[in-house]
């Protein structure tokens, strides 16, 4: 155990004292702080702009080239689009185009009939949807006019058109609308953290082997202590980094909470139950250890850095498949499908699949217990197998060994 703690301490300090690691963590914390402060900055900027322009509204010039009665349409336009100032003028289309071109008015509205109009705009943005509001005003007027023609009082007609429906959902189980955003973000965090730290473990092992330092380590320390110390040390460093980033998120959310009140993503993420954070921590640790053991063992089989990508590709593909299963299930809303249920108990996929089902689906407590126990046992088994591969890989140089050679070596005492 003394060897294990010595290696763990050495690996952990190696990460937290590494300038690149520290710089990367600080950059992520700053980005998090900036992103959560954007609504505050936007509000400050919009307020200053509004004060400078005295709440200037866009001017819409309404006109017709025939005998259409614009005064009847105007109340509907003003009601549905209070953000515009409507001005009635009697011009031709060419005159209206000239006024828009020179900037005297922002938009020209040429009304041809109750159901036909044209908008004159200088520029149309990629996401322009101004016709939606104009359509609503025209449709409302058309319906009211036709109802009154058929003997319905105008006040009653307006009440019919503007009726509001009251609705509510009595939720017994999970509300996927509330848990989707934070589950999505946490799954992506798991995905990138496991891949990134797994690669760091692999690189560390390869560098030790290239410098022949591994040969000295393996003769003075137990392979199991070496492998477990390395992997758990990097896991602790990863947890510290994640805690620092999420801690920064929480602090800046509290600072900017009033500006994020209408942001559904922010409300979902920072409104998640504490139990979800505990679950994600549990599955992050177990999932990271499982894959880091495999990444580390493959690193010990590489003689040079160039061999790493070839050796870790099968592991990376397994992890990507697990990630895609979860993401596709989330996108479809079918969290408790047969595939997801099976994936919840397969150790390679359960860190993400079971967590997603807990957050967004229906899971019995016994299922969670079984999944976690299987994941723990399999992780320990992979850890011991990886330690043996690590011991074998120390003396293997040249081309990466084939799978049958590794199996043969593992069978030998």
């Amino acid at each position: 155990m003394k060897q294990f703690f010595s290696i763990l301490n050495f690996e952990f300090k190696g990460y937290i004292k590494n300038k690149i690691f520290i710089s990367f963590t600080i950059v992520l914390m700053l980005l998090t702080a900036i992103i959560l402060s954007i609504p505050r900055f936007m509000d400050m900027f919009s307020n200053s702009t509004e004060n400078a322009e005295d709440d200037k509204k866009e001017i819409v010039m309404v006109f017709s080239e025939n005998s259409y009665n614009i005064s009847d349409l105007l109340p509907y336009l003003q009601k549905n689009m209070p953000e515009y100032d409507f001005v009635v003028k009697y011009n031709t289309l060419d005159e209206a185009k000239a006024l828009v071109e020179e900037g005297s008015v922002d938009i020209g509205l040429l009304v041809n009939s109750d159901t036909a109009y044209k908008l004159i705009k200088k520029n149309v943005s990629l996401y322009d949807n101004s016709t939606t509001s104009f359509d609503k005003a025209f449709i409302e007027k058309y319906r009211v006019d036709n109802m009154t023609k058929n003997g319905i009082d105008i006040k009653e007609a307006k009440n019919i058109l503007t009726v509001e429906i009251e609705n509510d959902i009595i939720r017994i189980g999970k509300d996927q609308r509330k848990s989707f955003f934070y589950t999505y973000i946490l799954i992506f965090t798991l995905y990138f953290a496991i891949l990134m730290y797994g690669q760091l473990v692999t690189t560390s092992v390869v560098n030790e082997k290239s410098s022949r330092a591994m040969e000295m380590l393996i003769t003075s320390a137990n392979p199991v202590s070496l492998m477990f110390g390395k992997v758990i040390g990097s896991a602790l460093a990863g947890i510290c980094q994640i805690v620092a980033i999420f801690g920064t998120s929480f602090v800046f959310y509290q600072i900017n909470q009033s500006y994020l009140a209408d942001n559904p993503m922010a409300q979902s993420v920072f409104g998640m139950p504490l139990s979800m954070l505990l679950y994600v921590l549990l599955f992050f640790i177990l999932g990271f250890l499982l894959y880091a053991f495999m990444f580390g063992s493959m690193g010990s089989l590489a003689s040079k850095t160039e061999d790493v990508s070839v050796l870790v590709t099968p592991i990376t593909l397994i992890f990507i498949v697990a990630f895609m299963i979860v993401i596709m299930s989330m996108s479809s809303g079918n969290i408790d499908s047969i595939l997801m249920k099976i994936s919840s108990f397969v150790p390679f996929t359960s860190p993400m699949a079971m967590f997603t089902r807990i957050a967004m689906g229906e899971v019995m407590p016994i299922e969670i217990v079984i999944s976690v126990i299987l994941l723990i046992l399999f992780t320990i088994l992979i850890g011991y197998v990886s330690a043996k591969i690590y011991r074998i890989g120390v003396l293997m140089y040249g081309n990466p060994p084939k799978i049958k050679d590794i199996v043969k070596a593992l069978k030998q005492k």
Side-chain angles (χ1 to χ4, degrees):
M1 288 299 290
K2 186 178 179 181
Q3 290 178 344
F4 165 75
F5 284 112
S6 297
I7 295 164
L8 186 151
N9 184 54
F10 176 79
E11 289 292 327
F12 177 69
K13 286 183 176 179
Y15 279 104
I16 62 173
K17 289 182 179 180
N18 187 288
K19 291 181 179 179
I20 296 175
F21 180 86
I22 295 170
S23 301
F24 183 64
T25 305
I26 292 171
V27 167
L28 288 177
M29 290 170 68
L30 287 173
L31 283 173
T32 302
I34 291 168
I35 290 169
L36 289 171
S37 300
I38 286 174
R40 178 186 287 270
F41 296 142
M42 290 178 67
D43 186 72
M44 290 168 59
F45 179 77
S46 63
N47 284 339
S48 62
T49 304
E50 286 175 8
N51 292 333
E53 298 182 2
D54 295 322
D55 296 326
K56 183 182 177 182
K57 294 182 179 181
E58 284 191 309
I59 299 172
V60 179
M61 185 184 72
V62 187
F63 69 102
S64 177
E65 290 186 318
N66 53 37
S67 57
Y68 184 85
N69 189 354
I70 295 172
S71 59
D72 289 344
L73 175 66
L74 203 58
Y76 295 95
L77 293 171
Q78 292 169 336
K79 175 191 170 185
N80 285 281
M81 290 168 284
E83 68 274 18
Y84 294 119
D85 274 337
F86 292 93
V87 177
V88 178
K89 289 188 178 181
Y90 296 94
N91 296 324
T92 64
L93 180 59
D94 291 335
E95 289 172 340
K97 287 180 179 178
L99 289 172
V100 173
E101 179 68 30
E102 68 185 30
S104 299
V105 295
D106 298 292
I107 300 173
L109 173 61
L110 171 58
V111 184
N112 296 320
S113 68
D114 282 341
T115 56
Y117 69 89
K118 292 179 182 178
L119 287 183
I120 305 160
K121 304 184 80 172
K122 188 171 183 179
N123 297 306
V124 180
S125 69
L126 181 63
Y127 301 103
D128 185 280
N129 62 349
S130 54
T131 55
T132 303
S133 299
F134 284 96
D135 287 352
K136 187 177 178 182
F138 274 79
I139 289 170
E140 186 177 338
K141 181 184 182 301
Y142 179 81
R143 287 174 176 171
V144 169
D145 288 348
N146 278 273
M147 284 182 179
T148 53
K149 283 179 183 177
N150 287 283
I152 301 174
D153 181 71
I154 188 167
K155 189 177 287 186
E156 188 179 344
K158 287 182 178 179
N159 289 335
I160 293 171
L161 292 173
T162 57
V163 65
E164 292 184 4
I165 307 300
E166 293 183 8
N167 65 75
D168 194 12
I169 297 175
I170 300 173
R171 180 171 59 87
I172 298 172
K174 299 287 180 66
D175 188 347
Q176 292 187 2
R177 297 171 302 176
K178 292 184 178 179
S179 59
F180 179 83
F181 286 120
Y182 71 70
T183 306
Y184 200 79
I185 289 170
L186 291 175
I187 287 296
F188 263 95
T189 302
L190 281 172
Y191 176 76
F192 286 113
I194 289 173
L195 275 186
M196 183 178 72
Y197 284 102
Q199 294 286 352
L200 287 175
V201 170
T202 306
T203 305
S204 172
V205 172
V206 173
N207 290 337
E208 286 175 2
K209 185 172 180 178
S210 300
S211 63
R212 301 280 179 166
M214 190 188 288
E215 292 180 16
M216 291 187 289
L217 285 170
I218 205 72
T219 55
S220 59
N222 186 292
V224 175
S225 298
L226 272 171
M227 179 57 74
F228 277 75
K230 272 184 162 300
V231 169
I232 295 175
S234 61
L236 289 175
I239 291 170
C240 288
Q241 189 178 58
I242 290 171
V243 168
I245 295 165
F246 276 83
T248 302
S249 302
F250 179 77
V251 169
F252 276 86
Y253 172 74
Q254 295 300 320
I255 294 171
N256 301 293
Q257 189 170 4
S258 60
Y259 297 92
L260 296 164
D262 297 326
N263 188 310
M265 184 179 293
Q267 293 306 309
S268 172
V269 172
F270 293 98
M272 78 174 80
L274 178 61
S275 59
M276 288 300 106
L277 287 176
L278 298 177
Y279 275 123
V280 77
L281 189 61
L282 171 66
F283 285 108
F284 167 77
I285 292 171
L286 293 175
F288 172 81
L289 292 176
L290 173 64
Y291 280 94
F293 280 134
M294 293 191 291
F295 277 120
S297 63
M298 291 300 101
S300 68
L301 298 173
S303 300
K304 51 186 182 294
T305 309
E306 291 78 8
D307 296 335
V308 173
S309 59
V310 177
L311 290 165
V312 301
T313 295
I315 301 170
T316 305
L317 288 175
I318 291 171
F319 189 60
I320 290 172
V321 168
F323 175 74
M324 292 304 299
I325 289 172
V326 171
I327 291 298
M328 287 190 291
S329 298
M330 287 180 64
S331 300
S332 66
N334 193 10
I335 299 301
D336 293 313
S337 64
I338 297 296
L339 180 60
M340 279 292 284
K341 286 180 178 178
I342 294 172
S343 300
S344 300
F345 299 101
V346 177
F348 293 117
T349 56
S350 62
M352 288 188 288
M354 180 54 82
F355 171 74
T356 304
R357 286 188 62 210
I358 293 170
M360 296 181 65
E362 293 294 330
V363 188
M364 294 177 65
I366 189 64
E367 292 183 78
I368 300 173
V369 172
I370 292 171
S371 176
V372 171
I373 290 173
L374 287 174
L375 184 55
I376 291 172
L377 292 175
F378 193 76
T379 300
I380 293 171
L381 174 64
I382 289 293
Y384 277 100
V385 172
S386 298
K388 286 188 175 184
I389 294 174
Y390 183 88
R391 177 176 55 83
I392 295 164
V394 174
L395 303 174
M396 284 188 174
Y397 291 91
N399 294 325
K402 296 179 181 179
I403 294 175
K404 64 178 182 180
D405 297 328
I406 298 171
V407 173
K408 185 178 178 181
L410 284 173
K411 289 180 179 180
Q412 295 177 353
K413 293 185 179 180

